[in-house]
């Protein structure tokens, strides 16, 4: 028995070329890596090795996405650096799957050339051959850890400083020790045990030859680090000296007696010190501006003052902080920009324009701000924190985007100093350890804007 014949289907042409003009391909078929998974394109794997390579996989998917845009949508990506910039679509009006005799060419390595040696266009070849954009990687593990027995857990002290000669000075109990970063040799500079005194602050001068040592009894001793001898002693304070700042040969010291004393160490002992009066409680932060014209001071009275070289009264007074101001840092990149951090009741990093006296930005860090330091090579700064996170944060300015978070100290990170090359920092805490971190890089400052109007370029 024969099966009934199926009804005849309508016949169409053997070729069908759809018109793709005007379609929103980037909306219909998204190619960004963020659409591949719910966590931004990173594979969800419990293994540490997979997490470490997730950034490389993400970069590869971004390059592949741009390659597709070049071939299908007519984009003009040629370099990996163009990926992060605004997308350009110079040839987006070209119709897909559209044949035109004017587009025929014998140019090699073009997608419509019958003699092409590559399945992709010349632009895409340049994209694949371009060097990979370097990624910023900050190690979350310190490259060196030193024991620091008797390192005091006191918010108002400053017991660590790094000299321009690459020597670290640390105040431990009654002694000041010097550690050479070049030879790792440790020497004891002084011992105050005979006078029943303790070290409360240390600070190097700009040349890295003299160390100022503040004591519990209100003295400021100046020591020659090379000779290991005491040069002079300043007697102006009646309480402990917790903050010291150098300006050439001019030495400024802040004390619990609420005063800031200044004296040129070259002057005879008979000449009295100049006294700056303003704070109502202990002075715990002192920093000179990069041009050595202004001194910023912070105290336990929640005040931030700015002084000049000639006045004995503050020229600017900032009262926005709600806790003690110890963390102070002048920006080396923006003239007149000052950053300050508040204690436990404040937790904020605030930025000030000291040229106009106006407050600028503010960010709540969520924990006590103990120290601040600007990078020498880029517009970034690092902050150390106490209650309750005990962490180290790296910020990008002016976006205030958090670049990295470093943890390891079990107590408040009360002390911070930067290496003379500006690449590493050392942090100290009440857990009696000093930890060294690679935070900043010189490579970020190699690209300088050269101008023919810069007179200093033609000196040599």
């Amino acid at each position: 028995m024969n099966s009934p014949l199926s009804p005849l289907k309508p016949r169409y042409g053997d070729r069908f070329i759809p018109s793709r003009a005007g379609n929103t391909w980037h909306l219909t078929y998204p190619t960004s890596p963020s659409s591949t998974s719910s966590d931004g394109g990173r594979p969800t794997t419990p293994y540490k090795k997979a997490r470490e390579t997730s950034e490389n996989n993400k970069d590869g998917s971004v390059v592949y996405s741009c390659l597709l845009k070049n071939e299908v949508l007519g984009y003009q990506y040629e370099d990996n650096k163009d990926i992060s910039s605004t997308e350009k679509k110079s040839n987006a009006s070209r119709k897909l799957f559209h044949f035109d005799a004017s587009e025929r060419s014998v140019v090699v390595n073009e997608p419509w050339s019958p003699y092409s040696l590559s399945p992709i266009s010349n632009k895409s070849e340049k994209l694949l051959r371009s060097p990979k954009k370097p990624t910023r990687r900050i190690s979350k593990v310190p490259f060196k850890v030193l024991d620091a027995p008797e390192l005091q857990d006191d918010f108002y002290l400053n017991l660590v400083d790094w000299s321009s000669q690459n020597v670290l000075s640390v105040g431990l109990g009654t002694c000041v020790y010097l550690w050479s970063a070049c030879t790792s040799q440790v020497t004891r500079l002084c011992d105050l045990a005979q006078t029943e005194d303790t070290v409360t602050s240390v600070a190097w001068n700009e040349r890295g030859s003299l160390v100022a040592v503040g004591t519990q009894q209100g003295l400021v001793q100046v020591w020659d680090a090379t000779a290991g001898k005491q040069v002079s002693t300043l007697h102006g304070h009646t309480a402990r000296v917790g903050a010291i700042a150098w300006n050439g040969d001019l030495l400024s010291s802040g004390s619990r007696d609420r005063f800031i004393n200044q004296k040129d160490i070259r002057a005879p002992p008979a000449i009295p010190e100049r006294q700056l009066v303003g704070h109502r409680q202990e002075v715990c932060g002192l920093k000179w501006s990069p041009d050595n014209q202004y001194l910023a001071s912070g105290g336990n009275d929640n005040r931030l003052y700015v002084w000049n070289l000639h006045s004995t009264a503050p020229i600017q007074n900032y009262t926005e902080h709600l806790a003690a101001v110890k963390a102070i840092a002048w920006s080396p990149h923006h003239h007149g920009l000052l950053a300050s951090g508040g204690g436990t009741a404040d937790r904020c990093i605030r930025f000030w324009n000291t040229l106009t006296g106006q407050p600028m930005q503010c960010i709540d860090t969520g924990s006590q701000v103990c120290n601040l330091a600007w990078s020498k090579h880029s517009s970034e700064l690092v902050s150390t924190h106490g209650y309750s996170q005990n962490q180290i944060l790296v910020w990008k300015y002016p976006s205030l985007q958090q670049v990295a978070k470093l943890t390891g100290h079990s107590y408040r990170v009360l002390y911070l100093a930067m290496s003379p090359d500006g690449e590493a920092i050392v942090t100290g805490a009440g857990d009696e350890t000093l930890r060294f971190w690679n935070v900043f890089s010189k490579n970020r400052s190699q690209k300088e804007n050269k101008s023919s109007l810069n007179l200093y370029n033609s000196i040599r």
Side-chain angles (χ1 to χ4, degrees):
M1 181 177 180
N2 295 333
S3 60
L5 296 177
S6 60
L8 295 178
K9 296 182 178 180
R11 294 183 177 180
Y12 299 97
D14 58 349
R15 294 187 64 194
F16 174 71
I17 302 178
S19 176
R20 310 290 185 181
N23 286 348
T24 55
W25 290 82
H26 62 287
L27 296 178
T28 308
Y29 303 101
T31 56
S32 61
S34 60
S35 62
T36 58
S37 62
S38 59
D39 59 350
R42 296 177 180 237
T44 56
T45 172
Y47 299 101
K48 182 178 180 180
K49 191 173 183 180
R51 289 198 303 266
E52 292 177 352
T53 58
S54 61
E55 293 184 1
N56 295 333
N57 295 337
K58 183 177 180 180
D59 294 338
S61 61
V62 171
V63 174
Y64 180 69
S65 172
C66 293
L67 181 66
L68 289 180
K69 291 180 180 180
N70 280 357
E71 299 302 311
V72 180
L73 302 179
Y75 280 69
Q76 299 293 316
Y77 288 116
E78 297 184 16
D79 197 337
N80 280 320
K81 298 179 181 179
D82 298 337
I83 295 177
S84 58
S85 61
T86 306
E87 295 182 347
K88 49 185 179 179
K89 195 177 180 182
S90 60
N91 197 21
S93 60
R94 181 171 62 88
K95 295 182 180 180
L96 298 178
F97 308 108
H98 176 74
F99 177 80
D100 188 357
S102 61
E103 293 183 353
R104 298 186 62 182
S105 174
V106 294
V107 179
V108 181
N109 289 337
E110 290 299 333
W112 52 82
S113 172
Y115 307 105
S116 175
L117 303 179
S118 173
I120 59 177
S121 64
N122 189 24
K123 302 287 186 182
S124 299
E125 282 192 347
K126 291 182 179 179
L127 175 65
L128 295 178
R129 292 174 180 174
S130 64
K132 181 182 177 181
K133 183 179 179 181
T135 57
R136 178 76 179 279
R137 298 183 185 275
I138 298 179
S139 175
K140 296 186 178 181
V141 179
F143 64 87
K144 182 181 289 292
V145 179
L146 298 178
D147 291 332
E150 298 186 45
L151 184 61
Q152 299 187 51
D153 185 22
D154 194 325
F155 176 80
Y156 301 98
L157 306 185
N158 294 272
L159 297 174
V160 178
D161 197 16
W162 207 330
S163 76
S164 59
Q165 301 298 324
N166 211 9
V167 178
L168 193 70
S169 62
V170 185
L172 302 177
T174 61
C175 301
V176 175
Y177 291 91
L178 305 180
W179 177 79
S180 173
C182 301
T183 63
S184 297
Q185 183 179 1
V186 179
T187 58
R188 187 174 63 182
L189 179 65
C190 63
D191 190 353
L192 309 180
Q194 296 180 354
T195 59
E196 297 182 355
D197 206 350
T198 57
V199 179
T200 55
S201 57
V202 295
W204 288 95
N205 67 343
E206 296 177 2
R207 296 181 180 179
S209 57
L210 300 178
V211 184
V213 180
T215 72
Q216 183 73 28
Q217 297 179 2
L219 302 178
V220 179
Q221 300 180 0
V222 180
W223 288 75
D224 187 335
T226 304
K229 297 181 180 180
Q230 184 176 347
V231 177
S232 62
T233 303
L234 308 181
H235 298 270
H237 292 292
T238 59
R240 71 178 184 182
V241 179
I244 299 176
W246 287 87
N247 184 355
D249 293 312
L250 182 64
L251 184 61
S252 303
S253 57
S255 171
R256 187 179 249 179
D257 61 11
R258 303 170 297 172
F259 300 124
I260 300 173
N261 291 346
Q262 292 182 343
K263 186 174 182 178
D264 194 320
I265 62 174
R266 301 170 298 178
I271 297 180
E273 299 178 349
R274 190 160 67 104
Q275 198 168 75
L276 308 182
V277 181
H279 285 285
R280 299 180 180 179
Q281 294 189 35
E282 180 175 7
V283 180
C284 52
L286 282 179
K287 286 293 173 63
W288 281 98
S289 60
D291 57 2
N292 293 330
Q293 297 300 313
Y294 299 97
L295 175 67
S297 66
N300 197 30
D301 54 0
N302 309 345
R303 300 294 181 89
L304 175 66
Y305 290 139
V306 177
W307 319 71
N308 61 19
L309 280 172
H310 310 290
S311 175
T312 57
I315 60 175
Q316 292 179 4
N317 177 15
Y318 301 105
T319 61
E320 281 78 357
H321 282 293
L322 303 177
V325 181
K326 176 193 177 185
I328 301 174
W330 292 87
S331 172
H333 312 288
H334 308 278
H335 182 59
L337 176 60
L338 177 64
S340 61
T344 308
D346 184 75
R347 307 182 306 272
C348 292
I349 300 177
R350 297 180 181 271
F351 299 86
W352 318 90
N353 185 348
T354 60
L355 302 179
T356 61
Q358 298 296 322
M360 299 175 64
Q361 295 171 273
C362 174
I363 183 171
D364 190 345
T365 64
S367 56
Q368 179 187 43
V369 184
C370 301
N371 291 281
L372 288 172
W374 286 88
S375 169
K376 297 180 180 180
H377 311 297
S378 61
S379 189
E380 295 179 344
L381 73 159
V382 59
S383 61
T384 67
H385 300 268
Y387 302 128
S388 58
Q389 303 297 325
N390 302 333
Q391 60 189 357
I392 305 163
L393 300 178
V394 182
W395 307 88
K396 186 176 295 184
Y397 185 85
S399 64
L400 297 184
Q401 177 185 358
Q402 190 179 123
V403 179
K405 179 173 67 173
L406 310 177
T407 57
H409 285 289
S410 57
Y411 282 68
R412 298 181 295 174
V413 189
L414 297 177
Y415 310 110
L416 170 68
M418 184 174 294
S419 62
D421 60 4
E423 293 190 4
I425 62 171
V426 59
T427 56
D431 56 11
E432 298 184 347
T433 62
L434 296 174
R435 298 174 184 266
F436 296 78
W437 316 79
N438 277 321
V439 174
F440 302 115
S441 175
K442 284 184 178 180
N443 297 331
R444 300 176 64 86
S445 65
Q446 290 179 354
K447 296 182 179 179
E448 298 180 356
N449 294 327
K450 297 183 179 180
S451 172
S452 58
L453 300 179
N454 189 352
L455 301 178
Y456 298 100
N457 289 339
S458 57
I459 291 180
R460 293 181 179 179

